[in-house]
Amino acid sequence: MVTVLSSSTLVLDVIRSVASGDAGEMAATGRVLDRMDSRAWVALSRYCGYLDHTDHKLWVPAPAARERLRQPEVPVVAAAVLSRHPDGYVRQQATQVLAAMPGTSAVATALALALLDPVPQVRTAAADALLPRFDVTQHLSALRCLVEARRRRWAQSGTALNALLDLLFQQMTVPVLLETFDRIGSRSERRWAHSLARSLGELSPPQMVTIALSDHDAWLRRAGAGWLSEDRIAVPAGLLASPDPDVRWIVLQDADDLDASDLEPLLADPAPATRALACLHAQRLGLDLGEWYRTSLWAGDSQVRAACLEGLGRFGDTRDVPELRNHLAHGTRKVRLAAERSMAKILLRF
């Protein structure tokens, strides 16, 4: 797969081959088109748009481009590149040439980019060709390109996406689309697909719980927890054990039926914001936080100990000063700092 990381040189090679008009060069670069991912296609489109302002030697003048597009057999790579030409008439002609070509993923993706064209006639020519006659695989290639364009906030990307989705959903269900993007999509494509499924009501509470608990993307883990919270769905206490501090915080933020056993592990949470929120819940339950931090001080590693010492600074009193003083010489810097800050708080308060 040719990704955006390798596309800078590729873009120039593709454009040079079209500018040269050499059949051998265009055949070589044309074989690359089917292996380009959505980010590489967007990079190609963007660079083509800059050419009239940067390097005229790499670009085909409009008269020559129109003449080339009138030839009996136009290579796919030539039509794809010229469909991004600075001249609107050339783009329209190139799009019409693409529309007459056999359906491949490269042709479908080039037409998808033409759906974003500022000229209405180009968009219309692309839509008339792309929407009716390509299969699911080719439409998915086009869709991935439009998702990337939407991520970059390109004009017309939302309208083009909706039109293509309307067609795709006549051929596949939302769960199948989501599963496909889970399997082959980039990180941004997976995020978009999950957000789409959620907005269409196609993500069940168990699916959102699974995402929040175990998805490899931290953004999606937080999103899953947030969706559960927004829908006022009872969140399993197991989410409070999530390795993601943002997930734990989101669950705590809206939880109203937690008991002491759910909260206690979070009173010494590594994340200060989560600890503070857990303390608020514990106070509502009437838990003696000062005593809890005293008894838990020796119950864990240095991270737990530092959290307990900070808790004593908030909820302890003068009887805790000797213990805090003993920790001023602890081997872990974090523990020493927590003891120092907490002792200062108590001595200022009493």
Side-chain angles (χ1 to χ4, degrees), residues 42 84 182 210 238 269:
V42 169
R84 313 314 310 144
D182 263 336
T210 300
D269 194 272

Side-chain angles (χ1 to χ4, degrees), residues 205 209-210 212-213 225 228 233-244 247-266 269 274:
V209 169
T210 300
L213 269 177
L228 288 166
I233 295 169
V235 179
L239 276 183
L240 293 173
S242 168
D244 192 315
V247 170
R248 299 194 299 272
W249 187 86
I250 290 169
V251 173
L252 271 178
Q253 190 177 30
D254 289 317
D256 52 10
D257 57 351
L258 299 174
D259 55 31
S261 61
D262 295 325
L263 288 169
E264 285 180 355
L266 299 174
D269 194 272
T274 305

Side-chain angles (χ1 to χ4, degrees), residues 296-298 300-310 327 330 335 338:
S296 303
L297 184 59
W298 302 93
D301 57 15
S302 59
Q303 170 61 55
V304 172
R305 188 169 299 187
C308 289
L309 291 170
E310 289 190 4
H327 281 84
H330 194 274
V335 173

Side-chain angles (χ1 to χ4, degrees), residues 58-80:
L58 285 177
W59 205 237
V60 183
R66 289 195 291 271
E67 178 61 32
R68 189 173 300 180
L69 289 167
R70 284 193 287 267
Q71 298 301 312
E73 292 187 8
V74 180
V76 173
V77 65

